[in-house]
Amino acid sequence: MKRKILSLWLAVVVLWLNLPLSACTAKKEKFSSYSFDYFDTATTITGYAKTREEFDEVANDILTQLGEYHKLFTIYHRFEGMENLCTVNELSNGVHRTVQVDRRIIDLLLYSKDMYTKTNGKVNIAMGSVLSIWHDYRTDGIDEPWNAQLPPMDKLTAAAAHTDINCLIIDEKASTVTITDPQMKLDVGAVAKGYAVEMVARSLEEKGITGYVLNVGGNVRTVGTKGDGTPWTVGIENPADDEEKPYLAYLALAGESLVTSGSYQRYYIVDNKRYHHIIDPETLMPSEGFSSVSIVTKSSAEGDALSTALFCMTYEEGIALIESLPEVEAMWVTEEGTQKYSSGFRSYCIESP
């Protein structure tokens, strides 16, 4: 909790190189915009445009889209006149009702089911009953650290009996969602933010807009290159909070995404031990072994899901998965500080880690 405020928000910090623009792009300048309104984290938009007005038009479009995804995907808030994941989780007369939802929710849930299969259940959006218990205990522990407690295992085990993703019924044609287990809840925290970032980035690409980078709480997605045609430079933060070495690696990205999950980002302390927010679906406890896992891939949605999944796997399981996926690379940092890499990770590095 002692990190600088920005470090609490960002697992991956975008580092801008002050390189001169070439003559053909000299009329474009770099601008930035910030927001703290979406997905309970900080959003930074940086891009190159001829004028501030031109940049603001693009940035406002990005923020508008992020706002829509935030409202649709949140499980904590209702919005008047809108069916979202919060209303999907609600009970009516003791059961979940069939809810007709926006197509963007259908697409997110279908994608989440696909990632459940690809990760052998390590990313399971049906774990809301378990994760909500941890959320409440973590929140109470942060608010009243002198009274911080762990959730009772019997309570977690009882909730885990209601995490079968097959109880999530999706009717694409009717655009409806039904949860058939009254005690099951959805929690899309492992996928929603990265998915939203990816959808917004793709919308920019479809409009022919390049020269932007989105950073939403550490989910970094580059859209094209910088104004001078060179790649963006991003840094992976050192989870050890070392002032002499704040970043462990520097990567050059042009159209790719970098997502990091870390045990140092959201946690609380019980009996002098740190308990973070990434819960292993097998042990029902915060996963152990790694301080951070970073994923480089074309898709921020894939990066978000995989960074969580690998956190809950052994290195051997994780490297086998990564090497089986095209155009995906990973970097692990163990709790002891050892760094491990997939076979192609160093090809993105500006300086060899």
Side-chain angles (χ1 to χ4, degrees), residues 243-254:
E243 292 185 1
E244 295 184 0
K245 189 177 182 181
Y247 306 105
L248 297 181
Y250 299 94
L251 281 64
L253 303 181

Side-chain angles (χ1 to χ4, degrees), residues 9-10 12 38-45 62-63 66 193-194 196-197 213-221 259 300 304:
W9 291 324
L10 309 180
V12 183
Y38 310 119
F39 296 99
D40 299 318
T41 191
T43 294
T44 301
I45 302 166
I62 291 170
L63 292 175
L66 286 175
K193 185 169 59 174
V197 170
V213 60
L214 287 64
N215 187 341
V216 183
N219 285 258
V220 176
R221 173 61 151 84
V259 183
S300 179
D304 205 3

